[in-house]
Amino acid sequence: MDAIDRKILAVLQQDASLSVAEVGSRVGLSSTPCWKRIQKLEAEGVIQKRVAVVDPDKVGLGVSVFVAIETGDHSEEWLGRFAESVQAMPEVMEFYRMAGDVDYMLRVVVADMRSYDIFYKKFAWVRENPWKGGEAPFVKITPKTKTSWGLG
């Protein structure tokens, strides 16, 4: 990946709806070489997908919760079962394996406190899979959020 690829990525991270001609113009390429570079970045998995960023408040999902999970079982089998359960929950936006006192962290997005309680009760697999729920702090405000890496 060279400097032009990074410029293309910086442009697309700001607005993936731009035409290839406009992206090329912003990075100093004509359409065909720009398109070939974009295709290569997609084929290599650098560009994973193109999406619309939606305001969660405007679609009724204004409550974010960070759910800390601690477990005494650190086996791949446990993680597999846990990950499978989490993948089936649309409220979970992000899922991290952590270092430190917390083993896993989930970022959950729901409409309100009642919705979070319903989400929490969906952990039906918990009865057979020992874990300990840690803190679940709610986000009060989000002063900063980004959808792009500083590449350009």
Side-chain angles (χ1 to χ4, degrees):
M1 183 178 325
D2 64 13
I4 293 174
D5 288 337
R6 288 183 173 281
K7 286 180 185 177
I8 290 170
L9 292 170
V11 169
L12 289 175
Q13 286 182 110
Q14 293 303 311
D15 187 353
S17 70
L18 293 174
S19 69
V20 173
E22 179 60 29
V23 174
S25 170
R26 292 185 186 193
V27 302
L29 292 175
S30 62
S31 293
T32 300
C34 183
W35 178 240
K36 286 181 180 178
R37 283 176 178 260
I38 291 170
Q39 286 181 316
K40 182 179 177 197
L41 291 166
E42 288 175 337
E44 292 175 348
V46 176
I47 297 174
Q48 296 178 343
K49 59 184 163 181
R50 300 179 200 197
V51 299
V53 178
V54 177
D55 183 326
D57 290 319
K58 292 184 179 175
V59 294
L61 296 170
V63 176
S64 288
V65 186
F66 287 93
V67 181
I69 304 290
E70 297 174 36
T71 180
D73 186 346
H74 298 281
S75 69
E76 289 300 317
E77 181 183 341
W78 190 92
L79 174 57
R81 286 193 313 266
F82 181 61
E84 187 177 322
S85 296
V86 168
Q87 293 297 334
M89 298 177 179
E91 302 89 347
V92 178
M93 300 302 291
E94 296 170 354
F95 171 30
Y96 302 100
R97 187 172 192 173
M98 308 295 288
D101 293 337
V102 172
D103 297 309
Y104 301 95
M105 183 73 68
L106 308 177
R107 185 172 71 89
V108 175
V109 177
V110 292
D112 51 32
M113 289 292 290
R114 183 174 180 277
S115 298
Y116 177 72
D117 189 51
I118 292 167
F119 163 81
Y120 186 80
K121 290 173 183 173
K122 278 200 255 181
F123 279 125
W125 59 271
V126 168
R127 289 181 205 97
E128 300 105 38
N129 298 280
W131 70 285
K132 180 170 80 170
E135 295 183 19
F138 285 76
V139 175
K140 290 173 26 178
I141 63 168
T142 306
K144 179 180 180 179
T145 184
K146 287 179 55 172
T147 60
S148 62
W149 307 105
L151 299 174

